[in-house]
Amino acid sequence: MRFYQTSWLLALCIGTIINASDILEVDLVFPRNETYSPTEWFPIVFAFQNAERARYLNPEITYTFWDLDNANNSRTRIHDLRWTNWIGQDTFYAYHYYGYFKEEGRWRVRWSLSWQSCDEDAFESHPLSADMINNSSTWSTWFTLQSSAPKVDLVAATAKKTCPEEYGMAINVTDKTMEVPMWVTWSGGDYTNDTCAVVASSTPTPTPDPCRVHIDKTIVASMEASLKSDLCKGIDRPSDCPEDKNNAAHQLAVAGISCLLAAVGALGFFLV
Ligand SMILES: *[C@@H]1O[C@H](CO)[C@@H](O)[C@H](O)[C@H]1NC(C)=O
Ligand SMILES: *[C@@H]1O[C@H](CO)[C@@H](O)[C@H](O)[C@H]1NC(C)=O
Ligand SMILES: *[C@@H]1O[C@H](CO)[C@@H](O)[C@H](O)[C@H]1NC(C)=O
Ligand SMILES: *[C@@H]1O[C@H](CO)[C@@H](O)[C@H](O)[C@H]1NC(C)=O
Ligand SMILES: *[C@@H]1O[C@H](CO)[C@@H](O)[C@H](O)[C@H]1NC(C)=O
Ligand SMILES: *[C@@H]1O[C@H](CO)[C@@H](O)[C@H](O)[C@H]1NC(C)=O
């Protein structure tokens, strides 16, 4: 008897997990509010969990990092995700390696996620005056670079069992999509065939769980391969670049994202 009850409970739990698949979650995976040792190439990694749900939302991540000891030393980057192939992606990583973190210091990171969704009621009942629903959300964190601290290790950093919710944003994206009325201006429309998704106004809002993202060695290897392939295309080529121009680093499962450098005057630091 007990056994059957347990099975039922299990079945219920599985049911909840499946329902949760309408939830898109976007997390800052690395860095967190911790201390790391300075490194030549320091990653900043965002994860889209259940990434396929991002397909019609035109998401964009903008972030700025500041040197807390020199406010002039700051950079702003944008992850331009418009050309991302979201289909079939379970977890999608938007990441970039930076060469600014070679010395000890304290840094602040502030990031914003913006997205747009259909205004279901307006599109249906008064489309002429309808508009997209714009949303965005901003968070920030700090991190410290200190020579005595552990080395940057994405696998260890994401193996933790607890991590604060404020590193993530969960969006309940329904199955319903709509055609954006022709006269509504929406930059995302060019990439979605003018299709938007309806976001549920669910209360309470779903709770993000950034701890579900676990970066494994394979993912790190492909991120590093993508970094290396970028470096090998640059001016200061590392000595161990492959001669073969058709190297496969670009075809790896984890796609690196091209970022736009928004900070003026930072070109000297930019890895080409
Ligand atoms: C960051 O960590 C420090 C020390 O663990 C803590 O005092 C501080 O409140 C944390 N800040 C945030 C934003 O989590
Ligand atoms: C920051 O920039 C301002 C204006 O350009 C300058 O006056 C100031 O000295 C700079 N501060 C540092 C710490 O470099
Ligand atoms: C959403 O943002 C777009 C572009 O910034 C703007 O044209 C539109 O009016 C905004 N919609 C609302 C409802 O604020
Ligand atoms: C998104 O924007 C709508 C309309 O401005 C607002 O009602 C809603 O609370 C926002 N949702 C989130 C998650 O910020
Ligand atoms: C774009 O949407 C229109 C209208 O919904 C549809 O007729 C057309 O087939 C779609 N095109 C693509 C490439 O999906
Ligand atoms: C997402 O929204 C749908 C439709 O409003 C609702 O049935 C479902 O319970 C929501 N899911 C979560 C996890 O809030």
Side-chain angles (χ1 to χ4, degrees), residues 179 192-195:
E179 198 182 333
T192 64
N193 190 24
D194 287 316
T195 307

Side-chain angles (χ1 to χ4, degrees), residues 8 10 71 90 92 102 113 131 140 166 192 202 237 241:
W8 262 108
L10 268 177
D90 182 24
F92 175 81
K102 295 175 188 167
L113 171 74
D131 206 344
S140 65
E166 57 263 32
T192 64
S202 46
R237 299 178 82 227
C241 285

